[in-house]
């Protein structure tokens, strides 16, 4: 019990340090003087891609900008929506299916990169809305920090019980556990974080690391690509992009469960690692508050530290701190449930995403 509470306290302290060290795109970036390609992979996104496109077309400070959307076999009229919103300012590319069992997004992104002419490639998911200065700011951060890739983590919009429980754990996890500046310098692939919702990469660096073809079987293609950049001798970093981008990934428990079920197994790599991670998270963030209910002072301190870490992460990344942070043990419990579901589906060969069977690797 004391050990778990100590881990929670160290995690809160580390989150506070990281909140001061994390890179942030500037609010008033200088104009971008190089060609940039905005690349959007889209499959059945007609219901939400219009705001994304409008935000891409409203970008400021990037005079040499192209917008490409790959329609990945959509059946809901996604391409029609793109053409209606973008007109001749957006080029729509008809995608071909990925090899059987492999995830579609790396395949779509590889095609987009092959079609792009920019020296900087900016991949944006169809559920992300960018601020007008987002691209110029992200490119400036990439160049000024001497990075080959940067992933500005969008503010995660969550307004129902399921998303408010689970989504904040995305930013919380890397602020609490990842030594951000060390991760930038270290060649260790395990020290990586990324979010493919908004991913900025130098085109030459993408070619050097093998491009999306090198991560064609990766379910978590964003993290796999950042690791590939490191293997090729490059530098990449996650950044706080809450001031330049926002994303509503899911609505309600069914969408949350389906989304995390398809990918959480890949985040742990093996059942043994998944059990070890679950045990560590439970001992630090679930057992102390349970012990506190039984009168344990050490448990109460551990719970308070966990709540503090969650508050730090929320305030730094544009999330909701109160009262959501008080439910942090429930959030971690929900995550562990999703992890178990993901591995169960993986072992049963039942993983799918957007109507496609999924047998990819990490």
């Amino acid at each position: 019990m004391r050990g778990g509470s100590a881990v929670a306290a160290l995690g809160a302290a580390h989150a506070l340090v990281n909140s001061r060290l994390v890179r942030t795109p500037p609010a008033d970036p200088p104009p971008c003087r190089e060609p940039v390609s905005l690349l959007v992979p889209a499959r059945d996104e007609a219901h939400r891609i219009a705001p994304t496109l409008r935000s891409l077309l409203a970008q400021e400070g990037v005079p040499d900008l192209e917008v490409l959307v790959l329609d990945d076999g959509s059946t809901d009229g996604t391409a029609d929506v793109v053409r209606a919103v973008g007109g001749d300012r957006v080029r729509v590319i008809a995608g071909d299916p990925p090899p059987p069992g492999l995830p579609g997004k790396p395949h779509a992104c590889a095609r987009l990169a092959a079609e792009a002419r920019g020296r900087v490639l900016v991949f944006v998911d169809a559920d992300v809305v960018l601020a007008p200065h987002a691209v110029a700011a992200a490119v400036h951060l990439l160049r000024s920090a001497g990075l080959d890739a940067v992933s500005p983590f969008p503010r995660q919009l969550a307004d129902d019980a399921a998303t408010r429980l689970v989504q904040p754990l995305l930013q919380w996890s890397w602020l609490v556990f990842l030594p951000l500046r060390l991760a930038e310098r270290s060649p260790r692939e395990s020290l990586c974080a990324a979010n493919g919702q908004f991913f900025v990469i130098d085109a030459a660096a993408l070619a050097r690391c093998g491009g999306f073809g090198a991560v064609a079987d990766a379910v978590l293609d964003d993290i796999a690509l950042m690791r590939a950049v490191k293997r090729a001798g490059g530098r990449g970093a996650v950044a706080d992009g809450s001031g330049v981008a926002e994303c509503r990934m899911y609505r309600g428990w069914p969408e949350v469960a389906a989304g995390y079920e398809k990918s959480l197994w890949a985040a742990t790599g093996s059942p043994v690692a998944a059990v070890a991670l679950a045990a560590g998270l439970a001992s630090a963030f679930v057992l102390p508050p349970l012990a506190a209910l039984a009168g344990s002072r050490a448990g109460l301190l551990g719970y308070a530290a966990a709540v503090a870490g969650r508050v730090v992460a929320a305030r730094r990344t544009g999330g909701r701190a109160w009262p959501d942070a008080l439910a942090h043990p429930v959030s971690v419990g929900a995550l562990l449930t999703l992890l178990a579901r993901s591995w169960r589906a993986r072992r049963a060969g039942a993983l799918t995403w957007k109507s496609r069977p999924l047998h990819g690797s990490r």
Side-chain angles (χ1 to χ4, degrees):
M1 180 57 57
R2 293 178 184 272
S5 294
V7 169
L10 289 173
H14 193 235
L16 184 60
V17 171
N18 269 341
S19 71
R20 298 175 181 275
L21 295 178
V22 63
R23 296 191 185 274
T24 305
D28 186 20
C32 178
R33 303 300 186 188
E34 54 189 319
V36 176
S37 298
L38 289 179
L39 309 174
V40 184
R43 177 172 169 83
D44 292 335
E45 301 285 5
H47 61 296
R48 60 184 179 182
I49 198 171
T52 298
L53 287 174
R54 293 190 187 102
S55 75
L56 300 186
L57 295 172
Q59 289 303 299
E60 301 171 352
V62 192
D64 192 353
L65 181 71
E66 66 171 353
V67 181
L68 279 62
V69 176
L70 186 132
D71 180 29
D72 187 15
S74 300
T75 59
D76 65 346
T78 293
D80 295 333
V81 174
V82 173
R83 293 187 181 98
V85 173
D88 59 4
R89 298 178 62 193
V90 177
R91 181 152 69 99
V92 179
I93 301 168
D96 56 309
L102 295 186
K105 188 176 178 182
H107 185 73
C109 289
R111 175 73 185 283
L112 284 165
E115 297 279 348
R117 60 173 178 79
R119 288 213 303 265
V120 178
L121 308 182
V122 181
F123 293 90
V124 181
D125 280 0
D127 51 6
V128 174
V129 175
L130 300 183
H133 68 293
V135 173
V139 174
H140 177 73
L141 176 59
L142 178 81
R143 296 308 192 199
S144 63
L147 300 169
D148 295 283
V150 65
S151 179
F153 214 107
R155 183 166 70 95
Q156 302 296 305
L157 302 180
D159 49 20
D160 58 71
T163 55
R164 286 174 66 175
L165 275 177
V166 177
Q167 289 303 95
L169 297 181
L170 292 173
Q171 299 98 315
W172 170 83
S173 62
W174 52 264
L175 276 169
V176 168
F177 295 113
L178 183 68
L180 292 178
R181 292 302 175 89
L182 175 62
E184 286 184 24
R185 300 188 300 269
S186 172
R188 292 183 59 185
E189 294 180 24
S190 58
L191 294 178
C192 271
N195 187 337
Q197 294 169 354
F198 186 18
F199 195 100
V200 183
I201 187 167
D202 177 83
L206 182 65
R208 283 195 301 272
C209 76
F212 279 91
V215 298
D217 62 346
V219 175
L220 296 173
D221 57 276
D222 43 13
I223 295 176
L225 185 61
M226 196 68 89
R227 289 173 175 167
V229 168
K230 281 196 171 189
R231 282 197 301 274
R235 291 180 62 217
V238 65
D240 173 22
S242 60
V244 296
E246 62 183 27
C247 176
R248 187 185 303 279
M249 286 180 68
Y250 306 121
R251 292 180 185 271
W253 179 255
E255 288 190 10
V256 168
Y260 283 92
E261 182 177 278
K262 70 112 166 41
S263 60
L264 270 182
W265 68 271
T268 52
S270 72
V272 173
V275 170
L277 175 65
L281 290 174
S283 66
F285 303 109
V286 178
L287 296 182
L290 292 177
L293 293 175
S296 168
R297 289 187 177 182
L300 181 59
L301 290 174
Y303 170 61
V307 170
R310 178 73 173 266
V311 169
V312 168
R315 288 183 171 171
R316 186 63 180 84
T317 60
R320 184 187 286 106
W322 305 106
D324 298 42
L326 298 174
H328 189 63
V330 182
S331 293
V332 174
L335 178 67
L336 299 182
T337 300
L338 292 169
L339 178 62
R341 286 181 54 147
S342 182
W343 269 107
R344 185 165 59 246
R346 167 70 170 171
R347 293 174 70 87
L351 293 173
T352 63
W353 188 240
K354 296 199 172 183
S355 304
R356 286 173 173 160
L358 191 61
H359 307 301
S361 73
R362 293 176 64 187

